[in-house]
Amino acid sequence: MTTLRTRRAGIGIAGALVMGLALTGCAGDDLGGGGGTTGGGGDGSDADCAEFEQYGTFDGETVEMSSTIEGVEGEQLAESWADFSSCTGITIEHNGTNEFESQIFVQVEGGNAPDLAIFPQPGLLARMVDGGYLSPATGDALEAAEANYTEDWRSYGNVDGEQYGVPIQGSAKSFVWYSPSVFEENGYEIPTTWDDMMALTDQIAADHGSDTVKPWCYGIESGGATGWPATDFVEDAVLREAGTDVYDQWVNHEIPFNDPQIVASLDRVGDIVQNEDYVNGGIGDARSAATMPWADAGFQVLEDNCFLFRAASFWEAQLPEGTDVGPDGDIFAFYLPADSADETPLLIAGDYMAAFNDEEATQAVLAYFASPEWANTRMSIGGMVSPNNGADPANASSDVLRLTIELMQDEGATVRFDGSDMMPSEVGAGSFWSALTNWTDGQATSEEALTSVENSWP
């Protein structure tokens, strides 16, 4: 079984602090569409190629990359390596799909692995290492990883003392999105405790509840990764109700997956997402969440059909172009409160790039993605932040993203990594997702759903 790592401590955030953050999270032979960028150096690019000399030149070489990143985020990702590709001559062919977790094994076991992949789950990355499919970072790639990331961030891409994964993106998941203007119009205050949030939910239901308008909107559909938003919600609940020690024991399977404390936390989530008076604003009944695309659900906040949407920071990248994100904008976010305003557990996640071979071109791309130059280029494009120590908060595309990068660079900010991402991938990217999809659809009770996951643990 893969040895799992957890992080101790909680990050201090002012209890009433309003936050919004943005980034990436959980989503056969060809893993879907994507954006390829062709190198050449003489193609009219305005790049200063002196900045890329350290990576070498590879005219005519192609590096294939697979990930969960698609749509707008996929286009932004492709833009981030345009100058690198132009100056080094490396063509990067990126295939992004929400079927990544289930299909990457089809590729590697069929002898058709990409050169690089971006893993949203350390557990899945470790499983690839255990199968002998991944190559450790070497040379400049390893040096860049060690120079530009804290030990905590590196640890989730380190297996048995060797560095395989480079943490290229990071996100915070403990947030609730809302409309500042709607809150102001109704005199609603940002809740600072879980009880305050539930009282606000009841108030919204009393003030505005109807067949189509509800306090919350919610969706968990995500292709082959359907169910992951529900696992995020219960992980946040475990941190708040059971505490960090129980969370760590649960993630490491030191207590049963269906321990009564975990059942209670899932019931806490159910008090919101299975209550027909609370969800699913602008979409349908509570069970509609099982088939509602997770990102689209939150757009109902902009339509005034719901008031609250729990989603990770990377959801900002899904918002329609021109949406003003900020405390006085169209939409913003606040920290998902704990039971006490003095407690601020923060659930985080990250994307790790790893190589399937040690070819020079592959390792050059990995080294570039581990660099501050890539982090700042990608941040300047918008919609994400990087835990790279050289990432400049000034390059973040919004106030909330600047706050995010500052939190991630805080040496005292030791927080909990997404639990499902740390579990064996058969669970964290498999049975846990499907069990909570069945739970959301009303096919299983909390105890039944969690017991099915317990029975699946390898």
Side-chain angles (χ1 to χ4, degrees):
M1 182 183 299
T2 301
T3 300
L4 304 179
R5 307 171 182 83
T6 54
R7 290 213 250 184
R8 295 282 168 190
I11 182 170
I13 308 173
L17 184 61
V18 179
M19 300 183 194
L21 309 167
L23 234 153
T24 222
C26 295
D29 291 345
D30 181 359
L31 288 180
T37 299
T38 304
D43 60 359
S45 170
D46 293 329
D48 179 1
C49 289
E51 299 176 5
F52 302 96
E53 288 179 354
Q54 61 184 301
Y55 302 106
T57 56
F58 302 85
D59 289 341
E61 295 211 34
T62 297
V63 171
E64 296 181 355
M65 180 191 304
S66 296
S67 80
T68 63
I69 304 170
E70 56 180 348
V72 173
E73 289 180 272
E75 294 171 3
Q76 293 171 329
L77 180 65
E79 185 179 348
S80 73
W81 66 65
D83 288 347
F84 169 87
S85 182
S86 175
C87 291
T88 62
I90 296 175
T91 296
I92 300 177
E93 293 184 351
H94 172 235
N95 297 309
T97 175
N98 61 16
E99 303 286 343
F100 171 83
E101 291 90 348
S102 60
Q103 293 299 318
I104 188 65
F105 282 101
V106 175
Q107 282 191 291
V108 298
E109 291 173 355
N112 196 28
D115 298 299
L116 294 163
I118 301 174
F119 293 91
Q121 298 102 6
L124 181 57
L125 185 151
R127 187 177 171 191
M128 283 285 172
V129 174
D130 290 343
Y133 298 119
L134 291 178
S135 296
T138 61
D140 291 343
L142 178 60
E143 183 177 337
E146 293 176 341
N148 296 319
Y149 298 92
T150 66
E151 183 178 355
D152 273 349
W153 277 100
R154 293 198 312 272
S155 70
Y156 300 118
N158 190 294
V159 180
D160 296 332
E162 285 201 275
Q163 196 69 41
Y164 289 86
V166 172
I168 62 170
Q169 300 186 150
S171 63
K173 294 197 167 189
S174 306
F175 294 92
V176 179
W177 295 79
Y178 74 105
S179 166
S181 62
V182 169
F183 265 49
E184 183 177 2
E185 290 166 7
N186 288 276
Y188 297 150
E189 299 290 334
I190 302 301
T192 59
T193 68
W194 189 279
D195 284 345
D196 287 346
M197 184 177 71
M198 296 308 296
L200 173 62
T201 299
D202 285 329
Q203 187 63 54
I204 294 171
D207 292 347
H208 302 281
S210 70
D211 289 342
T212 58
V213 178
K214 306 287 183 180
W216 291 81
C217 38
Y218 181 57
I220 67 167
E221 194 281 323
S222 186
T226 293
W228 70 260
T231 69
D232 281 2
F233 211 157
V234 71
E235 288 159 10
D236 256 330
V238 172
L239 282 174
R240 283 152 179 75
E241 183 167 21
T244 54
D245 287 344
V246 171
Y247 182 88
D248 293 343
Q249 294 165 8
W250 178 53
V251 169
N252 288 303
H253 205 219
E254 294 168 0
I255 59 173
F257 206 91
N258 57 348
D259 184 277
Q261 298 168 99
I262 310 304
V263 174
S265 293
L266 182 54
D267 283 338
R268 171 182 285 217
V269 175
D271 288 342
I272 296 175
V273 304
Q274 293 182 329
N275 188 325
E276 298 291 351
D277 291 331
Y278 292 169
V279 293
N280 201 2
I283 300 169
D285 62 12
R287 293 178 61 186
S288 67
T291 55
M292 182 66 195
W294 76 272
D296 294 355
F299 299 157
Q300 297 300 319
V301 175
L302 299 172
E303 300 295 329
D304 296 333
N305 290 324
C306 73
F307 294 71
L308 303 166
F309 174 61
R310 186 217 166 276
S313 57
F314 54 77
W315 183 65
E316 183 178 356
Q318 305 292 327
L319 288 166
E321 185 175 355
T323 302
D324 184 4
V325 180
D328 299 315
D330 301 319
I331 197 165
F332 200 46
F334 61 81
Y335 169 76
L336 178 68
D339 288 357
S340 166
D342 296 328
E343 300 174 274
T344 51
L346 188 66
L347 188 69
I348 63 167
D351 283 352
Y352 284 73
M353 179 177 286
F356 286 89
N357 58 65
D358 59 3
E359 297 293 330
E360 288 187 19
T362 299
Q363 293 292 322
V365 174
L366 185 61
Y368 176 58
F369 272 78
S371 71
E373 290 74 26
W374 178 82
N376 286 306
T377 296
R378 177 62 188 88
M379 285 171 57
S380 297
I381 293 169
M384 65 78 74
V385 288
S386 168
N388 192 299
N389 290 333
D392 185 350
N395 288 320
S397 58
S398 71
D399 289 339
V400 293
L401 291 181
R402 279 184 279 278
L403 175 59
T404 307
I405 189 64
E406 290 167 2
L407 292 173
M408 290 196 299
Q409 290 179 342
D410 183 352
E411 288 291 339
T414 51
V415 295
R416 288 302 188 274
F417 205 94
D418 182 295
S420 61
D421 289 351
M422 297 297 294
M423 296 169 187
S425 60
E426 305 96 308
V427 175
S431 59
F432 195 12
W433 288 350
S434 59
L436 289 199
T437 299
N438 291 336
W439 175 82
T440 300
D441 196 36
Q443 299 178 34
T445 66
S446 295
E447 186 166 1
E448 289 170 344
L450 295 175
T451 297
S452 72
V453 182
E454 168 65 18
N455 292 338
S456 76
W457 196 283

